[in-house]
Structures are given as structure tokens and as C-alpha cells.
Amino acid sequence: MKTFKNYIVFDLEWNQSPEGKENSVESMPFEIIEVGAVKMDGDFSVISEFHRLITPQVYPQLHRKISEVTHMDMTELKRGGEPFTEVIRDFLEWCGSGCRFCTWGAMDLTELQRNMGYYHIENPFEKPLYYYDVQKLYALVRGNIREKVSLDRAVEELAIRQDRPFHRALDDAFYTGKVLQHMDPGVWEPYISMDYYRVPETREEEVELRFPTYCKFVSRTFETKEEALEDKKVTELVCHQCRRMLRKKVRWFSLNQKQYFTLGICPQHGYVRGKMRMKKSESGEIYVVKTMRAVDEEGAQSVFQKKEEQRNKRHIRIDARKERPIPRASDSPLRSP
């Protein structure tokens, strides 16, 4: 795994429409009001800090919950804030080249690029944009990848000294860096994440990632879900270890039209479960994130059970249609001649 010159651990605080989603700006539902970051060298020692406030332009009134959590008010933002374009220009210059971003959760990089797009700032990031989701990495190290632990809970579990408050950008970036320092890089470094603000648009841009315990495929965009499901690259199933193309024991099926499952058997590595998630790009097109991982007998049975659940739901719908009474001509409303 490549060691980067620097790791930029950053956190954003943002505001949103106090009147709710219906009064939000569609292209920027969250307006960044604070940027905080720590720069760590290749040995994960902190070598620099960055902190700036941003004067809101889109939502000039703070949402009540944002104010409660961050303890900020509009007076502070107007007094100490600067224009977004100036802050981000300075932030990117401070980051420098040859760095890897690290965040707590998967939203910060997406919202940063969304705000940059709103202000017509050229996107300088690589495509695809890889980063480390420290929240996911901490869950992986804890042994329960499905549980999303809050930053303050992780700090408490790791017995990290709490001499700063939470829920301000620089403080949360500081604690995220501390969590990173407490984990063995040999365990978490292979598990890179990919930001989905800019997704593949062509076959050549499609992404395949291999990890120690699974592999991931990110497709190009399609106009419809049906078009995506007709693509052989999207629906193929391979073993994440030996890359063998597998025959499906259970064909792709879905319970909710957003997640799809399949099951195959590798002669060398046993059961392999495939999972597809249908997602929408910023432009409204469909793309697919597919993961394939080895599962044990219990994991395989879980797929069989999901398939049986889907079959039962389909039978219920069919039976309901059969029992629906057919309107008779005499039941139709009379029409004037």
C-alpha cells in the first residue's frame, strides 16, 4: 500500500434551510460554514492545523439544530467568517499535493465538491477520488463493519484524552486524527473508500477495487435501472480472491428495487455473495455499486431466505390481483347519449 506524503484529516460544519427541504437549494442542500483540518505526515504525526469560518450566503439564518449542536450563531459567522471561495482556495493550497483525505463518515468530500460546484470553482481532485472513511475503518477494526459508531463514542472507547469539545470542525478533525493514530495501519490501509460525487461516465472509467475480504465494482452511468441490469459487466459474478467467473446458484433478485442479491459457488473458495446497490448520480442518472464477498453457510442461507421472501411477496401480489373484482358493464356510470 502506498504511503502518502501527508494525510489531510478534515471536518466540515454546514448549515441548511431552517424552513425545511422544500425551501432548500437543490444543487446545495448543505452550505459549509466551517472548515477544520489537521495535516499528518507519513508516520501519522500532526504537523499543521487549518481552521476557518465561512460567512453564509445561501442560508443566512442558522438552522436551530445546527446552532444547538455547534454552539455557533450568525453573529460569530458574520464577524469571523470569510467568503467560501477564499477559504477553499487557502485550504487547497494548505493541503498541497500528494496527500490523502481522511474524514469521519462519507459526506464531507461530497458536500465540499457540491459547494465548490455551486460557486463555479474548478474541481481539482483526481477522478476517481479515493479517501479514508475513518468511521468505517474504526468499525472494521472493531469487528462490526455494519455498526456506525459516533466520533465521541470512538474517542471514549479508545480512552483518548478529551480536552477539547466536540462538534466543531477543527476539534472533530483533531479527534478523528487521534482515532487514526490508535489503529494499526497494516489493518486499515487496504480499505480505501471512493467518493461518488463524480462517478464513472464511460466503460473505460468504471472502477474495480480489491480488498482483503471482498471486491467492489462501480459502473458507468445508465439512463434507466433496466438498462443497467442488461449490462453483462454489471451482472457478472466473480470470486474476489481468484477472479474466477462464477455460475449463479441464485440469480439476481431484489426485495425493494434498490438492492439486488445473487449467490454463486467458487470451486476453490466456496460461496460468494453478490450485492448491487442502485444509486443516482448528481445528474440523475443510474449507476451501480456492486460488492462480491465470500460467505459461509450461514451467509448463503441468508441469501436463500431473502429469495424466498421475495418469492412470497410476488405470490401475494399475484393473488391480490386475482381476487380483485372485475368491473361489470352494469357497474359503469351511466353516460348521457
Side-chain angles (χ1 to χ4, degrees), residues 304-319:
F304 286 122
Q305 290 170 5
K306 284 184 173 67
K307 177 65 175 177
E308 185 64 25
E309 182 182 345
Q310 183 243 16
R311 184 181 293 113
N312 292 337
K313 286 183 176 180
R314 187 174 68 246
H315 288 162
I316 291 173
R317 289 196 300 268
I318 293 173
D319 291 342

Side-chain angles (χ1 to χ4, degrees), residues 74-299:
M74 194 55 67
T75 301
E76 178 184 0
L77 292 173
K78 288 181 178 179
R79 184 179 64 245
E82 301 171 73
F84 175 84
T85 52
E86 293 182 15
V87 172
I88 295 309
R89 178 199 63 202
D90 293 346
F91 174 62
L92 295 175
E93 184 178 338
W94 174 83
C95 289
S97 59
C99 64
R100 178 68 83 206
F101 289 108
C102 308
T103 63
W104 189 268
M107 290 185 66
D108 290 80
L109 271 172
T110 294
E111 296 309 325
L112 175 59
Q113 293 173 92
R114 217 172 249 154
N115 277 242
M116 290 169 64
Y118 180 85
Y119 286 103
H120 306 290
I121 299 173
E122 183 179 357
N123 194 321
F125 303 131
E126 62 183 355
K127 182 183 177 183
L129 176 55
Y130 298 117
Y131 70 103
Y132 283 114
D133 180 347
V134 184
Q135 184 182 46
K136 183 180 78 172
L137 299 178
Y138 181 65
L140 184 146
V141 170
R142 288 175 82 248
N144 187 357
I145 191 65
R146 294 183 179 182
E147 184 181 9
K148 289 188 175 183
V149 176
S150 64
L151 178 58
D152 52 350
R153 178 178 164 188
V155 167
E156 184 177 347
E157 289 179 351
L158 292 172
I160 295 171
R161 182 178 176 181
Q162 300 182 38
D163 51 4
R164 304 170 72 144
F166 287 92
H167 307 305
R168 289 296 297 261
L170 180 57
D171 298 318
D172 283 2
F174 170 82
Y175 283 124
T176 301
K178 285 292 184 182
V179 173
L180 207 57
Q181 290 173 338
H182 277 70
M183 298 189 297
D184 181 1
V187 175
W188 60 258
E189 274 194 316
Y191 291 92
I192 198 76
S193 292
M194 173 183 163
D195 179 74
Y196 297 136
Y197 179 76
R198 293 184 297 169
V199 295
E201 297 175 351
T202 65
R203 177 72 75 193
E204 291 71 29
E205 290 184 348
E206 290 181 328
V207 175
E208 295 186 52
L209 295 170
R210 296 185 66 181
F211 304 100
T213 55
Y214 67 98
C215 62
K216 177 180 287 189
F217 168 77
V218 184
S219 80
R220 60 187 175 92
T221 55
F222 301 90
E223 291 187 3
T224 65
K225 177 182 63 179
E226 289 73 23
E227 184 183 347
L229 291 172
E230 290 174 359
D231 189 275
K232 290 184 178 180
K233 188 72 174 176
V234 168
T235 57
E236 69 182 14
L237 181 67
V238 299
C239 174
H240 83 280
Q241 296 186 66
C242 65
R243 308 301 294 168
R244 183 196 301 264
M245 191 78 67
L246 304 180
R247 185 184 298 274
K248 301 178 186 68
K249 190 173 183 66
V250 177
R251 293 184 178 182
W252 288 105
F253 68 94
S254 175
L255 294 175
N256 55 17
Q257 305 304 309
K258 290 184 179 180
Q259 292 186 346
Y260 291 75
F261 299 91
T262 188
L263 186 70
I265 299 180
C266 173
Q268 184 177 355
H269 299 106
Y271 286 115
V272 175
R273 187 197 71 178
K275 179 181 178 180
M276 284 194 298
R277 288 174 291 161
M278 294 284 175
K279 293 177 169 286
K280 275 194 176 182
S281 69
E282 290 292 308
S283 60
E285 293 181 300
I286 300 295
Y287 69 99
V288 175
V289 178
K290 177 176 63 175
T291 56
M292 293 161 284
R293 68 173 72 235
V295 294
D296 55 17
E297 186 68 35
E298 183 179 352

